[in-house]
Amino acid sequence: MIEVSTCVICDSPIRRLKRALVAPFVAERTWKRKPFCVDLVGCDTCGFKFYNPRLDDKDLSNLYRGYRSPEYQRMRFATEPWYTPSFNADLASPNSYEIRRAKLAPILRQHLGEQKIGRILDYGGDRGDLVVGLVDGAEPFSYDISGIDVAPGVTPTKDPTACKPDLIVNSNVLEHVGFPRVLVNEILNAAPKGGLVFLDVPCEFPFGFARLARRIAQIAVMTLMRPATSRYILRPATLYMMHQHINYFTEHSLRVLMESCNGEVIATGTYPYGSRAGRADMAWCLARKN
Ligand SMILES: [Zn+2]
């Protein structure tokens, strides 16, 4: 873990907002230890909120080894009774990718304009399912360090620079990483000059009613069905529990992140996930590498 003293997006001062418990599953899988507390901090300049200390590369590799494999599911189920095999499978089901593509395709169509996309690269997107058919006529590639098998029709690449992608898509990844600027710089480095980068992240608010209600429900279920965890989780810090999303982005902080890596922002926006019209569940940013 790496303790930081300034914002990991814009380098401005940060302040502590809350103490937050590390989820039992995350503590066990990443550090082989019992749940403990970290700080939830915020940057008043760019609005980014995150847990501190940060997860380093080794922590992330421990946490995500065998991501969503049967062994991962069983370990998570041991403290999270709702994380059943079918729940785990649904997260990466064909239907879930179809929903995500249906959200992103119109946004890309609107903002790509006349730009021709010959090659599209899913950067860190598992099997590359998301980019298959996402942009008309674009050949799909996938770069994922896990070395997982790719989806039908997708070409895997070990060197994202070599495939010279016209558009790189990084979706639902940045909320998991300790140092988002490092990853966005890597993505921009993989793009050819004039290439496009599309970032897509959940737009979550740690103190929102829906989030707190969900945490309370989870605490109740864990206490009832996994009583051994109750001695760790029955405390206020569990309301702001750190799970695998260790970053809270807004549309603005995502733009600041892209600009801080010298990406030329073309457009940003938000969209609702699922059918809840009018909600800003996800934030996106489209930029060009100059
Ligand atoms: Zn900041």
Side-chain angles (χ1 to χ4, degrees):
M1 297 184 97
I2 300 174
E3 178 109 29
V4 297
S5 55
T6 56
C7 175
V8 292
I9 282 185
C10 76
D11 285 329
S12 297
I14 49 174
R15 62 190 174 91
R16 187 168 99 177
L17 304 172
K18 296 285 179 190
R19 288 293 278 167
L21 186 80
V22 175
F25 165 73
V26 174
E28 171 65 27
R29 191 164 186 86
T30 313
W31 299 286
K32 290 189 172 28
R33 59 183 280 200
K34 297 297 178 198
F36 59 99
C37 281
V38 294
D39 286 340
L40 173 61
V41 303
C43 166
D44 290 333
T45 306
C46 77
F48 190 55
K49 295 179 178 61
F50 57 97
Y51 295 101
N52 194 26
R54 311 297 289 156
L55 277 73
D56 59 30
D57 287 349
K58 184 164 178 292
D59 300 332
L60 290 172
S61 135
N62 286 342
L63 179 54
Y64 292 108
R65 73 175 186 276
Y67 189 41
R68 293 183 184 158
S69 67
E71 178 270 335
Y72 171 96
Q73 183 275 323
R74 280 194 299 273
M75 188 174 181
R76 195 157 162 184
F77 182 72
T79 52
E80 300 177 14
W82 57 86
Y83 202 85
T84 60
S86 66
F87 185 94
N88 185 46
D90 282 350
L91 292 174
S93 68
N95 186 44
S96 74
Y97 283 110
E98 212 160 289
I99 292 170
R100 287 168 64 189
R101 272 194 299 268
K103 294 287 178 185
L104 298 186
I107 294 170
L108 289 168
R109 253 196 311 276
Q110 183 187 350
H111 295 280
L112 291 176
E114 296 300 304
Q115 178 133 1
K116 174 93 180 80
I117 305 298
R119 296 176 159 208
I120 183 168
L121 172 66
D122 195 342
Y123 198 107
D126 287 345
R127 301 172 356 124
D129 300 76
L130 182 65
V131 299
V132 179
L134 184 61
V135 174
D136 286 343
E139 186 185 356
F141 290 80
S142 170
Y143 171 68
D144 196 286
I145 52 166
S146 71
I148 193 170
D149 288 342
V150 291
V154 176
T155 305
T157 179
K158 286 194 163 57
D159 178 3
T161 315
C163 80
K164 297 201 180 339
D166 302 295
L167 171 63
I168 299 179
V169 173
N170 179 261
S171 175
N172 286 275
V173 176
L174 280 164
E175 67 273 22
H176 297 270
V177 304
F179 296 91
R181 276 196 308 218
V182 172
L183 178 57
V184 173
N185 274 320
E186 283 174 9
I187 295 170
L188 283 162
N189 283 339
K193 197 168 174 354
L196 299 173
V197 171
F198 183 84
L199 306 177
D200 179 39
V201 293
C203 215
E204 297 169 313
F205 183 63
F207 312 119
F209 174 77
R211 189 168 185 91
L212 293 181
R214 190 166 135 218
R215 287 286 183 245
I216 290 168
Q218 288 174 339
I219 293 166
V221 171
M222 287 165 86
T223 304
L224 288 171
M225 298 181 69
R226 303 288 186 268
T229 62
S230 60
R231 58 188 280 225
Y232 301 105
I233 64 171
L234 290 178
R235 55 171 115 172
T238 314
L239 285 174
Y240 314 103
M241 187 159 67
M242 183 185 101
H243 208 290
Q244 289 179 330
H245 290 192
I246 58 173
N247 300 320
Y248 294 96
F249 283 96
T250 60
E251 181 182 348
H252 177 68
S253 59
L254 188 63
R255 169 187 280 270
V256 174
L257 169 62
M258 181 58 88
E259 289 173 343
S260 74
C261 298
N262 295 318
E264 179 199 337
V265 174
I266 297 169
T268 64
T270 60
Y271 63 92
Y273 195 76
S275 56
R276 295 169 294 183
R279 290 181 48 127
D281 298 321
M282 301 289 292
W284 58 268
C285 174
L286 178 68
R288 189 184 314 279
K289 175 181 173 176
N290 286 322

